[in-house]
């Protein structure tokens, strides 16, 4: 079974979500397709669509959140790569069986009604990985 069907999105941590949205709007020449506050993840996100994938701008809801800590330590930049998978529970089982360190043992609710789970950066060359299943 292939690991994933596409790159769903690239997550980018930003200090000022409105300012970053304006910058991306002008550079990409397109309006964002979605904006949502996801309290369970401590973020507000803005999505720009590129082909069948997205750029996800992430503003932190506070300093004691994953993105807030990242911004304090590293500053703005790429935060994670999200892979689109058909069966997130099966993918988590496969990774767990391979001894790969998971952040989320079970899937959670993401934005746009998706189901998501995070995998620790140690397994992916220092890049935090998110799995996304539509619906
Ligand atoms: N990418 C790569 N490495 C990262 C990282 C990231 N995004 N965030 C933290 N790290 C590294 C730190 O640099 C640090 O490394 P060192 O120990 O070498 O210094 C280590 O992880 C621990 O750092 P920390 O500040 O203690 O990090 P946290 O307590 O925030 O834990 C992580 C890190 C990945 C487990 C946590 O950020 C997490 O649970 N992330 C998943 C949820 C999430 O990121 N939600 C926001 C996005 C929501 C969305 O996309 O929908
Ligand atoms: Co994401």
């Amino acid at each position: 079974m292939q690991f994933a069907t596409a790159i769903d999105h690239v997550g980018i941590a930003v200090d000022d979500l409105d300012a970053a949205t304006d910058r991306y709007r002008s550079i990409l020449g397109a309006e964002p397709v979605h904006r949502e506050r996801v309290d369970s993840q401590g973020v507000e996100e803005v999505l720009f669509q590129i082909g069948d994938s997205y750029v996800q701008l992430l503003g932190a809801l506070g300093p004691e959140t994953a993105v807030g800590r990242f911004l304090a330590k590293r500053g703005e930049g790429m935060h994670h790569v999200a892979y689109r998978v058909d069966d997130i529970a099966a993918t988590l089982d496969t990774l767990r069986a391979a001894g790969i360190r998971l952040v989320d043992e079970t899937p959670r609710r993401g934005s746009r009604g998706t189901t998501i789970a995070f995998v620790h950066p140690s397994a992916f060359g220092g890049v935090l990985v998110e799995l996304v299943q539509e619906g």
Side-chain angles (χ1 to χ4, degrees):
M1 196 183 81
Q2 66 173 347
F3 179 74
T5 56
I7 298 292
D8 185 84
H9 65 268
V10 174
I12 298 170
V14 300
D15 288 323
D16 181 332
L17 188 59
D18 288 330
T21 300
D22 284 344
R23 225 159 41 235
Y24 269 76
R25 179 191 280 115
S26 116
I27 292 168
L28 300 178
E31 289 300 314
V33 293
H34 188 74
R35 182 169 183 140
E36 183 171 341
R37 181 183 158 128
V38 186
D39 288 287
S40 56
Q41 293 294 333
V43 297
E44 183 159 5
E45 69 163 37
V46 166
L47 295 180
F48 285 92
Q49 189 159 5
I50 307 286
D52 193 29
S53 308
Y54 303 95
V55 170
Q56 178 188 49
L57 302 180
L58 294 165
L61 293 181
E64 291 307 316
T65 60
V67 172
R69 278 191 294 273
F70 180 92
L71 285 167
K73 272 196 181 173
R74 302 195 183 193
E76 291 190 311
M78 210 192 78
H79 183 260
H80 62 272
V81 170
Y83 293 87
R84 191 176 300 151
V85 300
D86 285 332
D87 184 342
I88 195 167
T91 306
L92 281 176
D93 284 345
T94 303
L95 291 173
R96 193 182 292 109
I100 288 174
R101 183 172 165 195
L102 306 177
V103 173
D104 295 315
E105 289 295 331
T106 52
R108 317 144 154 254
R109 257 217 59 201
S111 67
R112 294 180 296 123
T114 58
T115 306
I116 62 171
F118 283 87
V119 186
H120 198 269
S122 54
F124 286 88
V127 175
L128 177 63
V129 163
E130 179 182 358
L131 308 173
V132 180
Q133 184 183 330
E134 301 278 343

